[in-house]
Amino acid sequence: MRILVFNAGSSSLKFGVFDTNDDTTRVFKGGFERFRDGGCAFNLEAGARHEQGTAPYADLAAATAAVPEVLAAWGITGLEAIGHRIVHGGPEFADPTVLDDVTLAKIEALTPLAPLHNPANLEAVRVARQVWPDLPQIGVFDTAFHLTNPTRVTTYAVPQTWRDAGLRRYGFHGTSHKYVAERGAQALQQPLEDLRLISVHLGNGASVCAINLGQSLESSMGLTPLEGLVMGTRSGDVDPGAFGYLQRQLGLSIDQIEHSLYHDSGLKGLTGSSDMRDVEDRAAAGDAAAQLAINLYAYRVRKYIGAYAAAMGGLDGVIFTGGIGENSASMRRRICDGLQFMGLRLDNDRNMAVQLDNHAAPQIQAYGSRIAVIVTETAEQLQIAREVARHLAKPAPALRPIPIAVSGRHVHLSADSLAALFGPGYTLTEGRALRQPGNWAAKERLTLIGPKGSIENVAILGPLRSQTQIEVSRTDSFELGIDVPVRDSGKLDGTPTIRLVGPAGQIDTDGLIVAARHIHINPTDADAMGLQDHQVVSVRVGEGERALTFARVLVRVQPTAFTEMHIDTDEANAAGIGPGFEGRISHGVTALVGT
């Protein structure tokens, strides 16, 4: 499939053409920037041919409309779809989405959350729909990757009425963070879902993302792309009290303050220049303001890396990307030099010799470093093309319902744990058969003990497993007094310890989780519904205004499975779900875990 991808900004238009039949390859890239009355600069490239110059396009709409002529002049034909980067998709758009009138109206309503970006994104979409009316136009959202963030990450501690109005953290650069995480896992030759990574995207816009076992846990940007790191013209983290202070002291309006935080702050506010290359040159020449800016920039990044390593309970790799992350060896050095206490050590020679041709992802950590350090070019357009192709290639799922089962607290025991709790040679007594073939609830029960309280009469499910796993609800975790992570079944590394008490003894064991929502499904049903093992889907329950969509539901295809979706008791209670409820696949595939 040949896909044209647009990345439109307020003063620039980047575009590329990709073939996705086998591995995704770029066949053309181009860009127009610095729109002004007399025209704009352009940069075009395909194969060995490369042109730069000026073009008579005074604005984004004119440049977008000129793309067919540009492609024709370079012999690029056969487009089959158009992909668009959309910066802010709010809480609704978790997947690539067809950009029809209804969808565009929803995106436009989000403009106050991304005033620098969404208007330009929408302008390019509207022109493209006119120029290519017969091609599918698909939006890929920067915020989608971060919709896995837990509520403790997305929630601001502000009044309920503000939160009801939509005040929450979202995170951005999601397409970039997703791509470099996948590329980093490939470089480390490990499944992404087994890794704890931090993606450091440093460009004119900058953010850090904690990617825990394949999913975004937190990003440094928040409600808008203003929060977090120091950027080219954006401030990053600022005390909200600054608004009141500046209004009282300088008589500035909210609009004036907000405009300055977006356009006149960051490196520009500190030094007068938003270009890190200029700032580094001036710092080397003795400019005190530039030296402060570099120290502040590196300190802020290092602080976030340390915080996110703590949030994930460990760290396997740091990945640098974006214009500064890819090209500034000195900035990478400044950031990493403060992280030796975590076991991260940089190899200075490797750091100075980074080559990034052909999507390379060199490792630059020193020998013996416990944490990998990787540098790679971000490839947002490439990632958008891949996601558009996956979206258009997937078969239309059969509209059959999926029963929903509410999973109460229970324990899966290993043989060693069974012996310690019930005595050597003990065999569990099979009780009620469960709907999943070969699974049953034992008649025996256990007690869980945490630092705050205990829970008695906890069910044991059979048969035995290789590792002991304890599944509780979020409310149970507060009753026990333990911060319990949401995990896929079997992903137990770094999970907290809990005391299990049985009739013959007690043990302290890890393996305590809140089970992530998932679907058990047999191959016949999976084929009929267009699903594959380890795909992540969205499931819609109910109809009309009372409908509820569960995002990020993991599909587990098993030979003899009874097809049903499992959610925990807290989710069921919050949604009013009980016996007899069913759901349907609503948005199709959002990702393949580990790819």
Side-chain angles (χ1 to χ4, degrees):
M1 176 175 285
R2 179 160 283 191
I3 300 170
L4 170 62
V5 174
F6 282 114
N7 181 356
S10 58
S11 62
S12 67
L13 174 68
K14 298 177 183 178
F15 56 99
V17 178
F18 298 84
D19 284 339
T20 63
N21 292 329
D22 296 313
D23 189 22
T24 305
T25 57
R26 188 187 69 213
V27 296
F28 180 87
K29 73 173 181 178
F32 301 109
E33 59 181 347
R34 299 189 297 278
F35 296 122
R36 55 191 184 274
D37 293 340
C40 63
F42 72 80
N43 192 328
L44 308 172
E45 179 181 340
R49 184 180 169 193
H50 185 198
E51 292 183 10
Q52 290 179 300
T54 58
Y57 311 129
D59 57 28
L60 175 62
T64 306
V67 169
E69 180 181 347
V70 173
L71 296 181
W74 285 65
I76 307 297
T77 60
L79 298 180
E80 298 171 81
I82 314 293
H84 295 270
R85 179 195 180 198
I86 307 294
V87 167
H88 211 309
E92 178 176 353
F93 294 106
D95 312 282
T97 303
V98 175
L99 296 170
D100 55 21
D101 291 340
V102 173
T103 298
L104 292 180
K106 292 179 179 180
I107 296 171
E108 189 164 21
L110 297 168
T111 294
L113 298 177
L116 292 182
H117 301 89
N118 272 26
N121 301 156
L122 290 170
E123 180 74 9
V125 173
R126 293 188 178 104
V127 175
R129 291 178 74 198
Q130 295 172 358
V131 175
W132 294 277
D134 298 326
L135 294 184
Q137 311 268 340
I138 309 298
V140 176
F141 300 86
D142 270 20
T143 46
F145 183 56
H146 303 302
L147 292 180
T148 54
N149 291 177
T151 53
R152 67 177 183 273
V153 168
T154 61
T155 303
Y156 289 114
V158 297
Q160 181 71 49
T161 53
W162 298 9
R163 288 179 276 135
D164 290 343
L167 187 64
R168 52 156 287 179
R169 302 186 78 251
Y170 286 100
F172 299 88
H173 289 140
T175 304
S176 173
H177 290 309
K178 183 177 182 179
Y179 170 80
V180 299
E182 293 174 353
R183 186 67 189 90
Q186 292 171 353
L188 295 172
Q189 299 182 343
Q190 296 186 52
L192 179 58
E193 67 266 28
D194 291 343
L195 295 170
R196 293 166 294 186
L197 302 173
I198 294 177
S199 169
V200 184
H201 180 115
L202 304 179
N204 190 51
S207 67
V208 178
C209 180
I211 301 153
N212 190 38
L213 307 178
Q215 295 188 334
S216 170
L217 174 68
E218 183 172 349
S219 169
S220 55
M221 288 179 169
L223 173 73
T224 71
L226 190 59
E227 187 178 350
L229 306 180
V230 175
M231 296 172 245
T233 66
R234 283 172 263 168
S235 63
D237 291 337
V238 169
D239 185 342
F243 279 75
Y245 176 83
L246 292 171
Q247 192 278 325
R248 291 188 297 270
Q249 296 298 114
L250 300 180
L252 298 178
S253 69
I254 290 177
D255 287 345
Q256 289 174 314
I257 298 169
E258 187 175 50
H259 182 274
S260 291
L261 291 175
Y262 270 109
H263 298 281
D264 302 317
S265 299
L267 295 177
K268 182 180 178 182
L270 293 168
T271 70
S273 173
S274 63
D275 191 322
M276 178 61 79
R277 293 166 296 187
D278 294 340
V279 176
E280 288 184 333
D281 289 345
R282 288 166 52 184
D287 187 311
Q291 292 170 356
L292 172 62
I294 288 174
N295 286 333
L296 174 55
Y297 190 101
Y299 171 79
R300 187 77 59 84
V301 177
R302 191 185 316 125
K303 181 176 74 171
Y304 268 97
I305 291 175
Y308 284 173
M312 293 189 290
L315 182 60
D316 299 304
V318 174
I319 310 169
F320 286 97
T321 193
I324 299 171
E326 296 161 16
N327 297 302
S328 178
S330 63
M331 183 54 68
R332 293 193 298 265
R333 171 76 182 267
R334 286 179 179 276
I335 292 167
C336 291
D337 273 355
L339 299 173
Q340 293 93 336
F341 75 97
M342 297 195 310
L344 186 157
R345 293 193 299 116
L346 204 64
D347 184 297
N348 294 326
D349 292 333
R350 289 180 178 179
N351 183 44
M352 294 293 293
V354 166
Q355 297 293 326
L356 299 179
D357 297 338
N358 300 315
H359 303 296
Q363 298 184 43
I364 61 171
Q365 72 273 13
Y367 178 78
S369 175
R370 295 199 304 271
I371 298 170
V373 183
I374 298 170
V375 185
T376 194
E377 286 184 327
T378 189
E380 291 170 293
Q381 291 186 29
L382 172 65
Q383 184 69 20
I384 290 170
R386 288 173 174 172
E387 297 201 21
V388 169
R390 283 198 291 258
H391 176 79
L392 294 175
K394 69 177 183 285
L399 297 178
R400 62 175 59 182
I402 301 174
I404 297 178
V406 180
S407 182
R409 67 179 77 100
H410 60 270
V411 177
H412 300 278
L413 292 175
S414 66
D416 289 344
S417 296
L418 175 65
L421 294 167
F422 290 90
Y426 190 88
T427 300
L428 291 172
T429 307
E430 292 192 27
R432 176 176 58 89
L434 305 178
R435 288 202 285 189
Q436 295 304 319
N439 289 265
W440 39 269
K443 292 185 178 180
E444 292 84 356
R445 293 290 187 269
L446 292 172
T447 297
L448 309 181
I449 297 179
K452 184 179 186 300
S454 62
I455 300 176
E456 299 179 345
N457 200 35
V458 178
I460 304 171
L461 303 188
L464 297 179
R465 292 190 176 183
S466 59
Q467 290 180 280
T468 293
Q469 177 172 302
I470 307 97
E471 299 181 26
V472 297
S473 71
R474 178 60 64 195
T475 298
D476 290 339
S477 75
F478 284 94
E479 186 173 351
L480 293 167
I482 302 175
D483 185 13
V484 183
V486 178
R487 292 283 184 89
D488 295 326
S489 180
K491 301 295 184 182
L492 305 180
D493 289 347
T495 51
T497 298
I498 183 72
R499 176 163 295 175
L500 305 183
V501 179
Q506 64 184 32
I507 60 171
D508 291 334
T509 180
D510 63 0
L512 181 63
I513 66 171
V514 175
R517 57 183 78 110
H518 56 276
I519 294 172
H520 293 286
I521 192 168
N522 58 67
T524 300
D525 286 349
D527 288 344
M529 301 176 72
L531 302 176
Q532 299 178 33
D533 191 34
H534 281 84
Q535 287 182 342
V536 180
V537 300
S538 297
V539 176
R540 186 177 179 85
V541 181
E543 300 294 339
E545 294 183 356
R546 298 182 64 83
L548 178 67
T549 297
F550 289 94
R552 305 285 177 175
V553 183
L554 179 67
V555 175
R556 299 180 188 164
V557 180
Q558 300 155 318
T560 61
F562 177 86
T563 297
E564 63 182 1
M565 173 178 164
H566 284 199
I567 61 175
D568 74 19
T569 52
D570 281 351
E571 290 186 315
N573 291 337
I577 291 176
F581 272 70
E582 296 177 332
R584 298 177 187 273
I585 303 296
S586 63
H587 288 102
V589 178
T590 61
L592 271 172
V593 174
T595 60

